Amino acid sequence: MTVEEPKAQGIRWWLVLSCTAAGGVAIWVTFKIAGPDSREDIAVAFMVEAAAALFLLAFFFFLERSFTTRVTSTVVREVRDRVVAPLEARVDNIATEIANLQREVDVGLQEQTARHHDLVMALDPPTAGSVGAALSEATRLNAIAGQVTVQANEDPHGIWVTFSYGAHFRGRDRLEDDQLLIQVWPLLTRRGPGLLLIEDFWGSGEQLSQVALRLSDRLRKNGARGASNTPDWTVAMRNLQRSLDVALPVEHGGWHLSGALHELVGEDWAITTAGIEYRDLGVVVAVEAIPRRPFPFGRRAETDESTHPTEWDPGMPDGADPDEWALVLSRGRAALERPGYALEAGTGLGWTSESVRTWIPAGRMAKPPHAG
């Protein structure tokens, strides 16, 4: 913004000519009226008056120019000091803030990456608090699908473990404080009749070994024995740490998933809410292409070929290992064919709104309801 000095007005020639003509006429009339003896005195007086008028004209002309210049300079200086200078300073500040905006965003992303790194590193050694904090943050950012399932021993076809941090709700009433739920899935029995699920809560004051012992006892009591059904908790916790490290957003680099993580399979495969993903290819099987199992998940629905085909093969990507691909398909279908949260029905003759509880992971609800 600039302030310019006012432009000089043009000369009004019609006014100048009119005044000159009027003066000439007045002089001519004066000479006509005066006698011959008076004309010389009139001429002298006229010359004196003309000289005085010219002098005053020149004097007032230069005085007016000096006054106008002085006033104009003062006004321009005042405008610049009171309006232009503060405005230019504000514009400079805004330009500086805009220039620093991306830098501030980058700093925020770096701080978030450092925070996520700290959450992942805090899992070694794991505690109920550190695992719950990492799961809650990942759920809040929709980096995981509310829970994470990991391979729990060296056999990829063996036992798997699901970790989830949240609470049960009945309607909008919270039934308990947030807690860490561990679910153990022997072999690949999550799909089909004969479902076997062993679960327990990892209390805030407990060691992992205490929970692991209870789960092992329940596995043996339910007939899940053998090497494939024996959890190796070192393997399980390392896989949990790696899964959260992959899922949580980082500033640069890393494996950027297209959806929220359900589980990692092997080194390069991921089951996410977007479908089946490969590290270098992205989504290779979209979730829309996976057959969905209708509710309720009973024997009749599972054997209905029209809605739940038993044979399904979307085609193996080039270069994939056939055995690993078969495992990925099986686990992807098991994780993605059943939508919704986990529901638990109470005992009784039928399901009612009072008998059904819903497990909701911490971080999924922005404003958790008050405890019931």
Side-chain angles (χ1 to χ4, degrees):
M1 179 178 179
T2 58
V3 176
E4 298 180 356
E5 294 185 4
K7 296 181 179 179
Q9 295 183 351
I11 299 175
R12 300 178 182 179
W13 290 107
W14 65 270
L15 183 60
V16 173
L17 292 176
S18 298
C19 292
T20 303
V25 170
I27 294 172
W28 179 78
V29 170
T30 301
F31 274 100
K32 282 292 185 180
I33 295 176
D37 297 334
S38 301
R39 288 179 179 176
E40 183 177 352
D41 295 334
I42 292 173
V44 173
F46 173 75
M47 295 300 295
V48 172
E49 294 290 341
L54 291 174
F55 175 78
L56 291 175
L57 177 65
F59 174 76
F60 284 115
F61 174 79
F62 288 110
L63 182 63
E64 185 272 339
R65 293 286 294 179
S66 175
F67 177 76
T68 302
T69 302
R70 193 173 307 165
V71 170
T72 301
S73 300
T74 302
V75 171
V76 170
R77 191 183 315 111
E78 289 290 329
V79 171
R80 286 176 178 171
D81 292 342
R82 297 186 180 184
V83 179
V84 178
L87 184 59
E88 289 179 345
R90 179 57 181 162
V91 170
D92 292 341
N93 291 336
I94 293 175
T96 302
E97 292 173 1
I98 294 175
N100 294 333
L101 181 60
Q102 186 58 45
R103 188 181 310 165
E104 294 176 359
V105 173
D106 291 339
V107 170
L109 291 175
Q110 292 173 0
E111 293 175 350
Q112 184 187 64
T113 298
R115 186 172 67 256
H116 292 167
H117 178 73
D118 292 341
L119 286 173
V120 173
M121 294 305 297
L123 300 180
D124 186 13
T127 64
S130 63
V131 174
L135 290 172
S136 181
E137 174 69 3
T139 301
R140 183 185 69 83
L141 296 173
N142 200 31
I144 62 174
Q147 61 186 26
V148 174
T149 302
V150 299
Q151 181 180 330
N153 65 22
E154 297 298 334
D155 181 7
H157 297 277
I159 197 166
W160 288 62
V161 176
T162 297
F163 296 87
S164 181
Y165 184 71
H168 285 103
F169 288 78
R170 182 176 289 118
R172 291 190 60 83
D173 294 329
R174 179 189 289 270
L175 303 181
E176 64 213 2
D177 293 332
D178 290 330
Q179 51 189 336
L180 181 57
L181 175 64
I182 300 179
Q183 298 172 310
V184 180
W185 307 91
L187 296 177
L188 283 179
T189 58
R190 284 196 292 166
R191 188 168 64 85
L195 180 72
L196 176 60
L197 166 64
I198 307 297
E199 64 181 14
D200 202 346
F201 291 102
W202 183 358
S204 59
E206 288 186 311
Q207 298 294 324
L208 177 58
S209 58
Q210 297 174 269
V211 187
L213 182 59
R214 292 199 302 268
L215 291 170
S216 296
D217 289 344
R218 293 178 186 178
L219 284 169
R220 286 192 293 270
K221 290 178 182 178
N222 286 274
R225 300 181 178 91
S228 294
N229 281 330
T230 301
D232 183 333
W233 290 98
T234 298
V235 173
M237 298 313 296
R238 284 177 179 170
N239 284 335
L240 175 63
Q241 188 178 36
R242 175 173 173 262
S243 297
L244 291 172
D245 190 35
V246 169
L248 284 170
V250 296
E251 180 191 4
H252 298 295
W255 181 1
H256 295 283
L257 301 174
S258 299
L261 178 67
H262 282 285
E263 58 189 68
L264 297 180
V265 182
E267 294 297 322
D268 300 306
W269 296 97
I271 312 299
T272 73
T273 53
I276 298 174
E277 302 191 34
Y278 188 74
R279 182 192 293 268
D280 298 328
L281 301 177
V283 177
V284 296
V285 180
V287 65
E288 294 81 9
I290 298 176
R292 306 288 277 178
R293 181 173 300 186
F295 184 86
F297 309 125
R299 290 176 181 268
R300 183 175 181 179
E302 291 166 357
T303 57
D304 187 354
E305 186 67 21
S306 64
T307 59
H308 186 255
T310 55
E311 297 297 331
W312 174 72
D313 186 1
M316 183 177 68
D318 294 337
D321 179 82
D323 293 336
E324 188 175 47
W325 174 245
L327 176 64
V328 170
L329 275 186
S330 177
R331 298 208 63 83
R333 188 171 183 180
L336 299 175
E337 68 183 357
R338 293 176 176 174
Y341 298 127
L343 300 179
E344 298 183 12
T347 58
L349 298 177
W351 285 10
T352 66
S353 59
E354 289 76 21
S355 65
V356 176
R357 301 187 305 168
T358 306
W359 175 264
I360 300 181
R364 182 61 59 88
M365 299 183 68
K367 295 181 179 180
H370 297 292

